[in-house]
């Protein structure tokens, strides 16, 4: 599938993450793992987190698919490492709002590089690509809590 026409600076940032994904590896000491795919586009993401107490101690992913899906999850993992769980939830919520066209969310600095994906909200079939990593994250955060022995 074609990559939507986005602002060229943002386009470069997306391609840069796609070509050199951050945190793309197996996480040996993960505490939770979620595997999701987007059959419409053929995107696949396996997200692995190590949750310690109330924060994300480490996060890695493996996967394949279009530049939007893979760049989004790369940006997401670099942003989330070390974050408190409620902060991570906040980022997921803000990003989802941005993907639904919320202009204030698109300017929110807490989204970091992820703001490069704001233009994707104009391409309904690609929104699912951009959100796949965050869907995996939200599932992982739920499971991480459910599996908490305390
Ligand atoms: Zn895709």
């Amino acid at each position: 599938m074609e990559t939507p026409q986005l602002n060229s600076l943002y386009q470069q940032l997306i391609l840069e993450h796609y070509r050199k994904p951050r945190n793309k590896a197996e996480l040996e000491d993960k505490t939770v793992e979620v595997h999701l795919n987007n059959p419409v586009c053929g995107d696949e993401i396996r997200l692995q987190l190590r949750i310690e107490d109330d924060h994300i101690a480490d996060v890695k992913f493996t996967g394949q698919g279009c530049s939007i899906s893979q760049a989004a999850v790369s940006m997401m993992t670099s942003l989330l490492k070390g974050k408190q769980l409620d902060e991570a939830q906040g980022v997921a919520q803000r990003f989802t709002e941005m993907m639904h066209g919320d202009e204030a969310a698109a300017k929110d600095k807490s989204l970091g590089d992820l703001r490069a994906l704001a233009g994707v909200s104009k391409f309904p079939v690609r929104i699912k690509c951009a959100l796949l990593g965050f869907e995996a994250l939200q599932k992982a955060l739920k499971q991480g809590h459910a599996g908490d022995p305390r």
Side-chain angles (χ1 to χ4, degrees):
M1 257 188 234
E2 270 178 74
T3 302
Q5 289 303 305
L6 302 172
N7 172 305
S8 65
L9 188 70
Y10 282 171
Q11 182 83 25
Q12 274 175 25
L13 192 58
I14 292 166
L15 285 177
E16 205 264 327
H17 271 271
Y18 178 58
R19 292 188 183 125
K20 283 187 242 153
R22 319 297 195 271
N23 307 303
K24 189 171 182 180
E26 291 286 332
L27 183 57
E28 299 294 337
D29 47 2
K30 61 187 180 256
T31 57
V32 59
E33 174 178 307
V34 170
H35 185 194
L36 282 186
N37 58 54
N38 170 18
V40 178
C41 183
D43 306 321
E44 190 180 349
I45 288 171
R46 202 154 54 88
L47 185 70
Q48 303 175 317
L49 300 175
R50 190 170 86 246
I51 296 176
E52 282 175 8
D53 299 322
D54 56 354
H55 71 281
I56 297 171
D58 207 353
V59 50
K60 297 207 185 303
F61 79 99
T62 56
Q64 55 188 3
C66 69
S67 56
I68 302 283
S69 67
Q70 303 301 305
V73 70
S74 167
M75 290 170 179
M76 181 188 86
T77 56
S78 19
L79 194 62
L80 290 183
K81 202 180 280 192
K83 283 251 191 299
Q84 302 290 315
L85 299 183
D86 52 356
E87 281 180 286
Q89 282 285 11
V91 170
Q93 197 183 335
R94 210 68 178 126
F95 185 74
T96 306
E97 287 165 6
M98 184 180 87
M99 279 300 121
H100 292 117
D102 186 322
E103 287 179 18
K107 294 190 184 100
D108 193 327
K109 287 194 170 62
S110 73
L111 290 179
D113 285 357
L114 286 163
R115 283 172 297 174
L117 293 159
V120 176
S121 67
K122 297 191 187 76
F123 303 87
V125 290
R126 311 309 298 273
I127 293 175
K128 175 89 179 159
C129 303
L131 284 174
L132 193 64
F134 276 101
E135 273 178 43
L137 173 74
Q138 285 178 311
K139 279 211 165 80
L141 291 178
K142 264 188 206 137
Q143 286 180 21
H145 273 300
D148 197 324
R150 285 165 301 172

